[in-house]
Amino acid sequence: MARKVDLLLLILFLVWCCNTSSSTSPEAEILIKFKSSLSHNPALDNWNVSINICDDDPKTTGFWTGVTCKDGTLFGLRLENMSLSGFINISVLVNLPSLRSLSFMNNSFHGSMPPVRELGALRALYLAYNKFSGTISDDAFQDMRSLKTLRLEENEFRGGIPGSLSSLPALVELSLEGNRFEGNIPDFIPRDWKLFDLSNNKLEGSIPPGLANIDPIAFAVSPIGNNDLCGRPLSRCKSPKKWYILIGVTVGIVFLAIAVISHRYRRRKALLLAAEEAHNKVGMAKAQSQEQTEENAKLQFVRADRPIFDLEELLTAPAEVLGGGSFGSSYKALLSNGPPVVVKRLRPMRCVGFEEFHEHMKKLGSISHPNLFPPLAFYYRNEDKLLISEFIGNGNLADHLHGHAQRTPGNIGLDWPTRLRIIKGVGRGLVHLHRALPSLSLPHGHLKSSNILLNSNYEPLLTDFGLDPLVCQDQGHQFMAAYKSPEYIRHRRISRKTDVWSLGILILELLTGKFPANYLRQGGGAANGDLAAWVRSAVREEWTAEVFDGDMMKGTKNEDGEMVRLLRIGMNCSEEEEDQRWGLKEAVEKIEELKETENSTEDEFYSSYGSEVEVKSVGRE
Ligand SMILES: *[C@@H]1O[C@H](CO)[C@@H](O)[C@H](O)[C@H]1NC(C)=O
Ligand SMILES: *[C@@H]1O[C@H](CO)[C@@H](O)[C@H](O)[C@H]1NC(C)=O
Ligand SMILES: *[C@@H]1O[C@H](CO)[C@@H](O)[C@H](O)[C@H]1NC(C)=O
Ligand SMILES: *[C@@H]1O[C@H](CO)[C@@H](O)[C@H](O)[C@H]1NC(C)=O
C-alpha cells in the first residue's frame, strides 16, 4: 500500500514537475512564432524558449537579443541594424499585451505599412530606414492614444500623410522625413514637439496654422527648397486671400502691416525686426531665450566678401541631392540671383551651443588661402545645423580617382603632373591651416579624397576642415578621417600629427588609385592595416611599379623616380608610430621638392627606405 501511495505521489510529482519545467512562458512561444516569419538572422539565434525572457540573472540576461524588459515584464522589441526582412506579423504581436515599444529601424523590410493600429497600447514605433512603400490609410493610427513616437523616415511611403496622426493626443515625436508623402499637411493639434520632421517629401499647399512656429527646416525638401509648400514658417502663399487669413490667424494685423511694408523695403524690415529683437532682449530670462532662438534661426554669414541671401531664398530655391557624406547629406541649391550653393546637413553636431558654434565658424570663415575652401554661411537651430558653401562644378578628388566623375572623351583620368599639382596644393593648404588654427589639436581632422574639391584647373580645395571642436565628443566623431588613425584606434589619442597620417594615406591613395579601406571601417580593427600595409608589403615584395595607378602611368616616361619619392613620403607620413612619422613641415617640404619629370631609379628607393626613416623621423611639427 505504501508503495502504491509513493507511486501516486511520484506520478503527481512528475506531472507537476514536468509541467513547470517544460512549460515555457507563453510570451517566449509568441516571440518564436513572430520570429518564424522574419528572414533568418543569426543575431536572433539566441532566442530560446528554455531561457526566461526577462531574467534578472546577469549571467543569462541578454540572451534574447533585441527584447527589452521593464520591471521583469516584456516591454519592447528593438530589432535594429540587422538586415532583417520578411513579414512583420502583427496578429502574432497582438498576443503580447505588455508590448509598448517596437523598433525595426534600419533593416530591409519592404511592402506596405503593417497594421500597427491593432497594437493599440503602443507608445513608440520605429520603422525608419527600411524600404516600406505604398500609401498609408488615413485611419492607420486611429485611437493609438498612447503613441508618443512615430519614426517612419527614410522609407518609400507615398500618398497623403494619414489624417489620424493629427489628433493623437500623446504624439510628440514624428519623423516622416525622406519619403514621398504628397498633398496637404493635416492640421496637427498644437503641442510641444520634441521632434517634427516632414522634410524631403513632396508635400504641397499651405502649412496649417498649428505648425506655423515649427522650424522651417522641418518642411524643406532635400532639405532645402520646397517649391510647393507655403505659409508660415515658410514664405507666404501666392493667393493674397489665403495669405491674409493665414497671417491674420497666426501673426496678427501688426505683422501683416510690417510684411506688406517689407515687400517694398526688405532691408528696412530686417533692420526694424533686428531693432525690435534687440529691444526685446531686455525682457525676462525666458523671453530672452526665446529671442535668442529667433536670432539663431537665421542664416549666419561667416565671410565678409560674399553676397548675402536669406534663409527664405535658400529654402525656396530648387535643389538637387548631391550625395550623402559622412557628416550628413548635401544638396545643391539654385538661387534665383546668384551662383548655386551647396548645403550640407550636419547631423552629429548637437552638443555645441550657438555662441561657440558661431565663434568657431567665424574663425573658419576668416581663413583665406587658395587651397582652402571655408564655408560661406551656416544655419543653427537645435537639431539642425546647415553649412552653406559655394558650389564647385568639377567634383572631388575621390570621384576622379575612383571613377565616379564623368569621363568625357578627352578626359582619361588624372595624369602624374595633375596628381603632383594636387598633392602640392593639399600640402600648402594643410600647412596654412595648421598655422591659422594653432590652438586646435586637429586643425583639419577630416582630410580625405572626397573632401578635396577640384576646380576647373584641377587645383585642390580642402573642405570640411576644423570641424572637430563642433562634433559631439561621445559618439559623433568616429566617422572622421582622423579617428581612423592608428593612434586613435590603439590609444584613443589624436594629435596634430594625425593630420599627417591622413595626408600619408591620401598620398598612397593618389598614387595607387586604391580606395583606402581604413575609411570604410567603423572604428576598431587592425590599426593601419589596409592601404599603408598593402603598399608596404607590395614594396617589400619588390614590385613597386605595380603599386601605381595605371591611369597615372599612361604617357609617362621617366617619372617613376619622382613617383617613388612621393610614395616614400606617403609611407613616412602614414607611419603607425607617431614619433617615427614625419612632421607636417618636413613632409610638405619634401613634396614641394618633387618635379614632374626626372631620371631616378627604384634602387635608390629600396636602399633609402627604412634606413632614412630613422634618420628623418625627428621632424616634429
Ligand atoms: C536552448 O537553451 C538550452 C539550455 O541552455 C540548450 O540546452 C538548448 O540547446 C538551447 N536551444 C537552442 C535551439 O539553442
Ligand atoms: C543601430 O545603429 C544606430 C546607428 O549606428 C545606433 O545609433 C543604434 O543604437 C543601433 N541600434 C542598436 C539596437 O544597436
Ligand atoms: C544601419 O545598420 C548598419 C549596420 O547594419 C550601420 O552600419 C548603419 O550605420 C546603420 N544606419 C543607420 C542610419 O542607423
Ligand atoms: C500571422 O499570424 C497569424 C496568427 O498566428 C497566422 O494565422 C497567419 O497565418 C500569420 N501570417 C503569416 C503571413 O505568416
Side-chain angles (χ1 to χ4, degrees), residues 396-416:
N396 62 49
L397 179 58
D399 292 340
H400 285 269
L401 283 178
H402 309 299
H404 306 302
Q406 277 171 355
R407 289 273 167 101
T408 50
N411 174 7
I412 48 142
L414 300 174
D415 59 11
W416 161 247

Side-chain angles (χ1 to χ4, degrees), residues 436-480:
L437 300 171
S439 60
L440 293 197
S441 51
L442 272 178
H444 194 303
H446 204 25
L447 180 67
K448 56 175 192 165
S449 55
S450 56
N451 286 335
I452 298 171
L453 302 177
L454 298 178
N455 73 9
S456 50
N457 298 322
Y458 290 86
E459 273 295 328
L461 300 166
L462 308 191
T463 66
D464 280 6
F465 52 76
L467 296 178
D468 184 55
L470 303 181
V471 174
C472 300
Q473 285 307 303
D474 48 345
Q475 23 91 349
H477 57 208
Q478 303 102 346
F479 63 85
M480 292 175 69

Side-chain angles (χ1 to χ4, degrees), residues 84 147 161 167 221 247 249 267 277 442 446 456 463 509 568:
L84 288 172
L147 194 67
I161 295 179
S167 53
V221 162
I247 302 289
V249 169
R267 301 251 160 230
E277 272 172 20
L442 272 178
H446 204 25
S456 50
T463 66
E509 181 183 356
R568 190 175 68 205

Side-chain angles (χ1 to χ4, degrees), residues 10 78 84 99 371 389 393 410 444 462 468 512 532 572 588 614:
L10 185 65
R78 191 166 176 215
L84 288 172
L99 190 67
N371 296 112
S389 330
H444 194 303
L462 308 191
D468 184 55
T512 62
N572 280 317
V588 172
E614 271 94 54

Side-chain angles (χ1 to χ4, degrees), residues 217 223-224 343-346 377-379 384-388:
I217 213 75
I224 43 164
V343 180
K344 248 185 204 177
R345 195 171 190 175
L346 307 175
F378 70 89
Y379 168 81
D384 281 294
K385 320 275 182 283
L386 302 181
L387 210 56
I388 294 106

Side-chain angles (χ1 to χ4, degrees), residues 66 78-82 103 105-106 522:
R78 191 166 176 215
L79 306 179
E80 299 176 356
N81 313 336
M82 290 179 176
S103 175
M105 277 232 270
N106 193 16
Q522 295 276 323

